[in-house]
Amino acid sequence: MSTTWLDEVTWNSDGLVPVVAQEAESGDVLMVAWMNREALAMTLAEGYAVYWSRSRNRFWRKGEESGHRQKVSEIRLDCDGDTVLLKVEQAGGIACHTGRHHCFFRKLDDGVWEAVDPVLKKPEEIYRS
């Protein structure tokens, strides 16, 4: 059996690897999610981020409901092989389900988490469930 690029990833005991999505142009860290082997292979094949939803126990194509897809320009693996970095172009400028540019909108200030980034679009306008 030959070794493939997927074999060089250190998968956790659940067969998953954490993935950091970084906006290629700005360098902003947009979000962190999980992928299994198939999701990573699908991401490469499709050119758009495909994650593994642990809560839904299924593949999750970023933007499948919101339209805020992530076009992948580069895939990197860290030095330990246990974290993937996706450099992406974020459609619509919104990566977070709260309607913000990224998921890291809360800042610790004097022992209190405060939202410091604005909602760009209300979630009820993004998701029609």
Side-chain angles (χ1 to χ4, degrees), residues 9 17-21 35 40 75-78 82-86:
V9 176
V17 65
V19 180
V20 176
M35 286 184 177
L40 184 52
I75 301 174
R76 293 185 178 218
L77 186 63
D78 80 333
D82 62 1
T83 304
V84 170
L85 172 69
L86 298 183

Side-chain angles (χ1 to χ4, degrees), residues 6 37-38 43 61 68 74-75 78 91 101 105:
L6 289 165
R37 188 181 183 96
E38 192 174 352
T43 295
R61 285 172 170 77
H68 299 141
E74 197 171 315
I75 301 174
D78 80 333
H101 177 60
F105 61 89

Side-chain angles (χ1 to χ4, degrees), residues 19-43:
V19 180
V20 176
Q22 179 184 38
E23 191 169 47
E25 188 174 321
S26 70
D28 287 349
V29 174
L30 300 175
M31 56 179 273
V32 175
W34 295 89
M35 286 184 177
N36 62 15
R37 188 181 183 96
E38 192 174 352
L40 184 52
M42 290 165 55
T43 295

